[in-house]
């Protein structure tokens, strides 16, 4: 029984390591944009780490003045002088370029609620 589980787990860990090496990350946002399938808090965000912020891009950001709400999902409204203006649903915040974690690739709804119960 244990031997049959080792191979799939090993393959899954190898795939995760390759994706992380390529700069892809998964995070549980606590604040920000919502979708028709729920709030940011009830989802998981799949994003590419280290992408340059551009106007109109959907991103995962850290909010230095709101650590309990970090990370958050938002849309970049403007980029100038090392500062990024991010729309977070009904809220607009200015953060530094270093606070932008990466460009959002996909939102996985409902799994964030399970992760939230665990405490991550």
């Amino acid at each position: 029984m244990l031997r049959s589980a080792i191979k799939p787990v090993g393959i899954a860990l190898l795939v995760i390591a390759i994706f992380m090496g390529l700069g892809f990350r998964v995070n549980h946002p606590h604040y920000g944009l919502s979708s028709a399938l729920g709030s940011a808090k009830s989802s998981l965000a799949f994003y590419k780490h280290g992408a340059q912020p551009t106007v109109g891009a959907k991103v995962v950001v850290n909010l230095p003045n709101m650590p309990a709400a970090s990370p958050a999902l938002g849309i970049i409204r403007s980029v100038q002088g090392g500062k990024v203006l991010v729309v977070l649903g009904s809220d607009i915040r200015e953060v530094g370029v270093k606070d932008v974690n990466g460009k959002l690739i996909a939102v996985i709804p409902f799994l964030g609620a399970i992760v939230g119960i665990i405490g991550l």
Side-chain angles (χ1 to χ4, degrees), residues 42-87:
S42 69
S43 62
L44 291 178
F46 183 63
Y47 66 98
K48 175 100 166 92
H49 182 70
Q52 290 295 326
T54 57
V55 175
K58 294 178 180 110
V59 292
V60 176
V61 297
N62 285 325
L63 303 171
N65 297 334
M66 299 172 62
S70 292
L73 299 179
I75 298 175
I76 295 178
R77 189 170 193 180
S78 70
V79 180
Q80 49 180 273
K83 296 287 184 183
V84 178
L85 195 62
V86 182
V87 177

Side-chain angles (χ1 to χ4, degrees), residues 11-35:
I11 291 171
L13 289 175
L14 181 64
V15 169
I16 290 170
I18 290 171
F19 273 105
M20 289 189 75
L22 293 173
F24 294 99
R25 304 285 191 270
V26 175
N27 211 332
H28 177 228
H30 296 274
Y31 186 68
L33 299 174
S34 61
S35 69

